[in-house]
Amino acid sequence: MNFLIEYLALGAFLFGIVAAMQAIAARLAIPEASALSILGIAIGGSSFAMVSFAPHMAQFLLAPLIDPVLPADAYLWLFLPPLMLQAALAIDVRHFLHDAAPILLLAVVAVVVATMCVGVALSALVPYGLVVCLLLGAIVGETDASAVIAIFRNVGAPVRLIRLVEGESLLNDAAALALASVFLAMLAGDAADATLGSGLKIFGYSFVGGAVVGLAVGRLTASVLPLLGDIASAEAAFTMALPYPLYLVANDMLHVSGVVAIVCAGLVINSLGRTRLSPKNWSHLQMVWDQIAVLAGAIVFLLAAIQVPHLLSGESWYDLWLLGVALVAAFAARLLVLFIMLPALTRMRLSEPIPAAYKLVIAWGGLRGALTLVLAMGVAQNAAIPQDARTFVSVTAAGFALFSLLVNGTTLQWLIRRLGLNRLTRREQAVQNQALVLSTREVDAALAQINTAFHFDPQTVTDVASEYRRDLSIGAAVPDIERTVNERDRLVIGLITLATRERDLVPEYGDGVISVRNLDAMIRNAGRMIEAARSEGRVGYYRVAREILEFPLHYHTAKLLHRLVRFERPLAAAMVERFELLVCRRAVLERLREFNGTRLTPLLGERLTKVLDSVISARIVPADHEIAELRTQFGSSASALERRLLLLFALKQGRSSLEAMAAERAISKEVFNRVRQTIDQAWKAAIRRPRVRPQQLTHVSAAVPPLEMSSERNASPEQT
């Protein structure tokens, strides 16, 4: 019982420290990891004094931290799986895939290059052998994005820069762990792993095998989630059951990378879960995992940092010289990858160009975090390595991590501002100014409404409105966006905004209203429209928008079966699925038209939103054309399909209205639960698709209806 009480008190102590340091780091605008490392070192360094002045307190609180019962590897087992899964769930998969080539270069190749550079540079200066030095290189080769992402967001760093660093951190932990395990096996004298060539084979097998296992498990998990009854807590609990068994099976049973398996599983769940869970439940799932990751990451970092004074206790001036060599070699390796290898990807058209300023920030922002410290602790406890070599690796790795956190971490914000990466582009500045002006109008209306309720002095309301404008630097001379940004740029902004809004609207038609396959297709199509509009303007937007009207492979297969063996059920099912796709796409387009009129007109100007409205209309025409054809094919059965969709939308809206009334206490919880049960029963009855038999299957067309382009003929060359 005393053991349990001690660890419960220790947990409360750690949570309190984490909360305080998060607030302090935010106030001082420094990385949370840097603040935690400073505090951890202070706790570890003061333990000797506390033993003398307050022995009971030291024994109760500090002894479990300074001399933990668990080995260093236990930190990886306890904290790494949930941290990796949350990182994979939080990233934008579409953007991740778009920058897959540079991310893989930074996450895998950069770790290997850093390992080689650090290992070769130090092997000429120390007597411990090349493998020991390569082990050190692998430990310091990984980077910790969590330590720098907060800075990037605070100073307004470009989105692509944040994406590259987040993507790098997803997989470089796995690469560093895999390499470190190879070198540890070589040092342990395992004959099968005693050569560098066999070690690299093991590394490749571990990495690829982990990816395959993770993809399969992620797909299976995404298939199970919709079966949990749309219960947010059950869905979150099921995902919480995933990381530890997957890490165990992958590492100890299949002998592949557990970290890679978890990351790949998380990416698959991220990609498919948005269409298999309701938007509200998906947000709840991410919120739960965000909180888990914040606490787990902070605690493991603090626990590792507390051990640093003990790791560095025997450091000499010669050790500082070796640390300097390791720092220079690692930084040179990073510059080599960023300024020589990365441009090669651009020349091979595998990646869009990355500005030099981005590369400098990525190089300087390669902070080493908790994983480096935990691996250093593990080496310090590994009896298979000679004592001198253990001390060399653990001391140098700990010093490397501290230098990056206390020097790179505290100067990164200055570097970003020095390079001007916190400044908006001309296009972004114009949109921001217009948005501020519009928000000011809404604030004025809100203040007037508040004054009606509170009966304040009208002059006070006027003064507050003026102060609001002054605080946001909004004056009478804000330039008109129609004069400061040309029509082509505003058209690109509008098309990207429409495609982004479309992607956000699609999941609202989930919960079985239309098939998951249709939802996935619509989200993929909207994502590709964003990229096409950014690179090719309206022409690319139209081209990608038209692709979803192409008939998929399963439709052609079903049509072939019908023609050869007169088997009509697959073709009828495919036509029903297509009918639902077109109807829901038509509904999304109407909502886009409303969004364009209410939100984009004041933001981009009336002239341009008329052009955008014509773009939406051009997409509606072929959808209407094919819906009419399918109604003819289905005959009277079309009304049954339409009735089903309409009833589902009505039930969904009714449930949302009841939830709002219950939240506002307009109805009691008991009334809400009783009515919700009735709605749920009606939903289960309506979710089943009616069996329909198209009347004219032999005349089904497989041609894609033409996309109406008449509006483009009336547009100016600059608009197109």
Side-chain angles (χ1 to χ4, degrees):
M1 182 60 101
N2 289 336
F3 174 83
L4 179 61
I5 292 174
E6 287 180 6
Y7 274 87
L8 287 175
L10 177 62
F13 175 66
L14 290 175
F15 285 147
I17 288 178
V18 168
M21 296 313 296
Q22 286 175 338
I24 292 172
R27 179 69 63 88
L28 299 179
I30 61 174
E32 182 183 317
S34 297
L36 287 170
S37 64
I38 294 172
L39 178 63
I41 294 169
I43 293 175
S46 63
S47 61
F48 303 106
M50 186 169 288
V51 167
S52 301
F53 292 103
H56 296 292
M57 181 68 70
Q59 181 65 27
F60 186 69
L61 287 179
L62 295 187
L65 300 176
I66 303 300
D67 189 17
V69 177
L70 297 175
D73 289 347
Y75 289 105
L76 297 180
W77 279 92
L78 286 173
F79 298 109
L80 195 59
L83 286 173
M84 291 293 98
L85 183 60
Q86 185 276 333
L89 290 175
I91 200 168
D92 189 325
V93 177
R94 179 181 57 84
H95 284 132
F96 177 85
L97 295 176
H98 180 71
D99 276 322
I103 286 173
L104 287 174
L105 180 73
L106 292 170
V108 181
V109 178
V111 173
V112 175
V113 172
T115 299
M116 297 301 174
C117 289
V118 173
V120 172
L122 288 174
S123 64
L125 302 175
V126 295
Y128 308 119
L130 177 61
V131 176
V132 170
C133 296
L134 289 174
L135 172 62
L136 173 62
I139 291 175
V140 301
E142 65 87 29
T143 59
D144 184 2
S146 63
V148 298
I149 292 300
I151 293 180
F152 283 178
R153 298 194 190 281
N154 287 339
V155 300
V159 174
R160 192 183 183 208
L161 176 59
I162 297 175
R163 184 167 67 240
L164 289 171
V165 174
E166 283 181 329
E168 176 193 8
S169 69
L170 263 183
L171 292 173
N172 70 1
D173 286 352
L177 276 172
L179 280 174
S181 63
V182 168
F183 297 130
L184 283 171
M186 295 171 67
L187 289 172
D190 192 332
D193 305 328
T195 66
L196 190 58
S198 61
L200 291 177
K201 287 181 182 178
I202 294 173
F203 171 71
Y205 168 79
S206 176
F207 207 90
V208 175
V212 172
V213 171
L215 292 175
V217 172
R219 190 84 183 183
L220 178 63
T221 303
S223 301
V224 172
L225 287 175
L227 305 178
L228 298 177
D230 195 34
I231 302 173
S233 57
E235 293 160 355
F238 186 77
T239 59
M240 291 170 68
L242 172 66
Y244 291 114
L246 178 55
Y247 191 79
L248 172 66
V249 170
N251 263 358
D252 288 3
M253 298 178 64
L254 301 177
H255 304 292
V256 297
S257 173
V259 176
V260 173
I262 290 173
V263 167
C264 290
L267 289 174
V268 173
I269 296 170
N270 186 347
S271 177
L272 302 179
R274 297 173 189 271
T275 56
R276 285 153 177 80
L277 304 181
S278 66
K280 181 179 69 175
N281 287 12
W282 179 253
S283 298
H284 176 265
L285 179 69
Q286 287 196 308
M287 181 183 67
V288 169
W289 276 105
D290 285 344
Q291 186 61 35
I292 291 173
V294 166
L295 293 176
I299 289 175
V300 69
F301 206 100
L302 181 62
L303 292 175
I306 288 173
Q307 302 295 323
V308 169
H310 296 268
L311 292 175
L312 299 180
S313 58
E315 190 169 13
S316 65
W317 288 107
Y318 186 68
D319 293 323
L320 291 177
W321 156 248
L322 295 177
L323 172 61
V325 172
L327 289 167
V328 171
F331 189 68
R334 205 154 172 79
L335 293 178
L336 172 66
V337 171
L338 288 166
F339 286 92
I340 296 180
M341 295 185 178
L342 202 54
L345 293 181
T346 303
R347 289 193 293 271
M348 291 186 289
R349 298 185 178 181
L350 296 175
S351 170
E352 294 180 5
I354 297 177
Y358 283 27
K359 297 174 186 176
L360 286 173
V361 170
I362 292 173
W364 191 251
L367 276 63
R368 274 57 176 181
L371 181 61
T372 298
L373 293 175
V374 170
L375 289 176
M377 292 163 53
V379 171
Q381 298 174 7
N382 194 326
I385 304 174
Q387 179 62 49
D388 291 345
R390 275 190 277 164
T391 303
F392 161 69
V393 172
S394 59
V395 166
T396 308
F400 198 111
L402 287 183
F403 183 89
S404 69
L405 289 168
L406 301 181
V407 177
N408 299 57
T410 55
T411 57
L412 184 60
Q413 185 171 342
W414 170 85
L415 179 63
I416 293 173
R417 288 176 172 159
R418 183 72 176 175
L419 294 174
L421 294 179
N422 61 319
R423 293 194 291 269
L424 298 177
T425 64
R426 179 177 58 85
R427 180 193 297 177
E428 293 169 337
Q429 185 65 52
V431 174
Q432 175 186 276
N433 290 340
Q434 192 75 0
L436 289 175
V437 170
L438 295 175
S439 71
T440 302
R441 296 173 187 171
E442 295 183 3
V443 168
D444 289 343
L447 288 174
Q449 185 177 4
I450 292 173
N451 189 44
T452 302
F454 286 97
H455 302 288
F456 290 144
D457 182 3
Q459 185 59 44
T460 302
V461 176
T462 302
D463 292 342
V464 169
S466 299
E467 184 176 351
Y468 176 82
R469 287 186 174 86
R470 185 171 62 252
D471 290 342
L472 270 66
S473 302
I474 301 175
V478 173
D480 186 356
I481 191 172
E482 295 192 26
R483 292 197 300 269
T484 56
V485 181
N486 62 48
E487 287 192 359
R488 180 180 179 83
D489 285 347
R490 283 188 289 124
L491 180 62
V492 170
I493 294 172
L495 292 174
I496 292 174
T497 304
L498 287 178
T500 303
R501 178 61 178 163
E502 181 173 346
R503 188 183 60 181
D504 294 339
L505 288 173
V506 168
E508 296 183 14
Y509 298 90
D511 295 336
V513 176
I514 65 173
S515 69
V516 170
R517 178 157 48 189
N518 280 333
L519 289 171
D520 289 340
M522 292 173 71
I523 285 183
R524 282 196 305 268
N525 188 248
R528 296 190 64 235
M529 277 191 285
I530 295 172
E531 299 302 330
R534 183 177 286 116
S535 59
E536 304 174 51
R538 189 198 302 203
V539 173
Y541 179 89
Y542 270 137
R543 174 178 54 75
V544 175
R546 187 174 183 271
E547 289 176 359
I548 200 159
L549 298 179
E550 296 175 356
F551 288 81
L553 177 62
H554 72 274
Y555 180 90
H556 292 292
T557 303
K559 188 177 179 183
L560 181 63
L561 286 173
H562 177 263
R563 186 170 68 245
L564 295 178
V565 297
R566 311 304 299 173
F567 187 32
E568 70 176 28
R569 181 173 295 181
L571 183 54
M575 291 175 64
V576 168
E577 191 174 85
R578 185 165 181 81
F579 182 78
E580 292 176 352
L581 168 71
L582 291 168
V583 169
C584 288
R585 185 173 178 82
R586 181 67 170 78
V588 169
L589 290 173
E590 281 297 336
R591 293 178 67 179
L592 284 184
R593 174 176 277 172
E594 180 184 358
F595 173 77
N596 180 52
T598 57
R599 286 295 183 184
L600 296 189
T601 297
L603 188 64
L604 300 177
E606 186 173 350
R607 171 181 166 81
L608 186 69
T609 47
K610 286 182 179 178
V611 176
L612 293 174
D613 187 75
S614 70
V615 170
I616 299 172
S617 298
R619 295 179 58 194
I620 289 176
V621 169
D624 282 343
H625 172 76
E626 190 169 353
I627 289 172
E629 281 193 357
L630 286 172
R631 284 196 179 107
T632 302
Q633 299 293 334
F634 285 119
S636 60
S637 299
S639 62
L641 294 172
E642 292 172 346
R643 180 183 179 278
R644 171 186 174 272
L645 290 174
L646 192 59
L647 178 58
L648 290 176
F649 290 140
L651 292 171
K652 198 170 186 178
Q653 181 60 45
R655 187 163 52 189
S656 298
S657 299
L658 285 169
E659 288 174 351
M661 285 189 284
E664 295 171 355
R665 301 295 191 271
I667 59 175
S668 68
K669 193 71 173 177
E670 292 75 17
V671 171
F672 169 72
N673 289 333
R674 190 178 295 259
V675 178
R676 187 184 62 179
Q677 290 175 2
T678 303
I679 291 180
D680 289 345
Q681 292 173 357
W683 180 274
K684 291 177 181 178
I687 202 70
R688 292 190 294 270
R689 289 176 174 80
R691 288 194 62 180
V692 298
R693 183 176 181 181
Q695 298 175 347
Q696 306 174 32
L697 284 175
T698 56
H699 297 99
V700 176
S701 170
V704 180
L707 188 61
E708 180 60 50
M709 298 287 285
S710 60
S711 59
E712 188 166 340
R713 289 195 295 269
N714 299 325
S716 65
E718 187 176 50
Q719 291 170 341
T720 58

